[in-house]
């Protein structure tokens, strides 16, 4: 399972969970998240996330 981790705060985006508070439905691939979405913890941009293989 692919997950994405914020390099600034360590928050993990899990596509199975999404970010419901940020308007991202569960099942949404990271690539399909709008470019203006930000990390819900620290406000980092999508560019500040790195792919990690679970």
């Amino acid at each position: 399972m692919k997950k994405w981790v914020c390099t600034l705060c360590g928050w993990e985006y899990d596509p199975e969970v999404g970010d419901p508070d940020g308007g991202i439905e569960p099942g949404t691939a990271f690539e399909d998240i709008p470019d203006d979405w930000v990390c819900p913890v620290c406000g980092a941009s999508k560019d500040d996330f790195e792919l990690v293989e679970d």
Side-chain angles (χ1 to χ4, degrees):
M1 171 61 58
K2 291 182 179 180
K3 295 185 180 177
W4 296 79
V5 175
C6 179
T7 59
L8 300 182
C9 73
W11 184 82
E12 183 176 89
Y13 176 77
D14 182 344
E16 290 182 9
V17 177
D19 176 22
D21 292 339
I24 308 300
E25 295 293 324
T28 303
F30 189 79
E31 296 83 2
D32 295 334
I33 296 173
D35 290 337
D36 61 351
W37 175 82
V38 295
C39 175
V41 174
C42 71
S45 71
K46 273 183 70 175
D47 292 337
D48 292 313
F49 279 74
E50 289 185 346
L51 174 65
V52 292
E53 295 287 343
D54 197 23

